[in-house]
Amino acid sequence: DTIKLSLKEFDLVEMLVSFPKTVVSREDLLNALDYEDNKCGNRSLDALIHRLRQKGGASYRIPIKTIHGSGYSFSAPTAIA
């Protein structure tokens, strides 16, 4: 199955996948996504991650893990039986 991503969603996944099992700070993600000058940047990043997590549906979870106070990490994908 294919999951369609917006350009920002793709950029976010690409950044996280580039550093597997490594915590990527919110600041680095905001900068990479050109949200640093946007007053709504923090919430925009939260909304983007929420949408990505929802796109997998019931049978697949996009493995973006929140590391509270630090940022986000990408771990191995998981299929749900």
Side-chain angles (χ1 to χ4, degrees):
D1 290 338
T2 303
I3 298 174
K4 293 186 181 195
L5 302 176
S6 71
L7 183 57
K8 289 280 189 192
E9 290 167 341
F10 180 84
D11 289 344
L12 174 60
V13 170
E14 181 179 45
M15 176 127 184
L16 291 172
V17 169
S18 296
F19 303 98
K21 298 183 182 179
T22 301
V23 178
V24 181
S25 74
R26 289 180 62 82
E27 183 177 326
D28 287 344
L29 291 172
L30 290 168
N31 289 334
L33 297 170
D34 293 325
Y35 283 148
E36 73 271 10
D37 294 327
N38 182 347
K39 291 181 182 177
C40 298
N42 284 332
R43 298 303 304 154
S44 296
L45 178 59
D46 295 339
L48 190 62
I49 289 171
H50 177 75
R51 281 196 313 270
L52 273 171
R53 287 176 172 157
Q54 299 302 310
K55 285 198 174 196
S59 61
Y60 180 83
R61 296 281 185 249
I62 295 175
I64 297 172
K65 186 174 184 181
T66 301
I67 311 300
H68 294 283
S70 297
Y72 297 91
S73 70
F74 189 87
S75 57
T78 344
I80 299 172

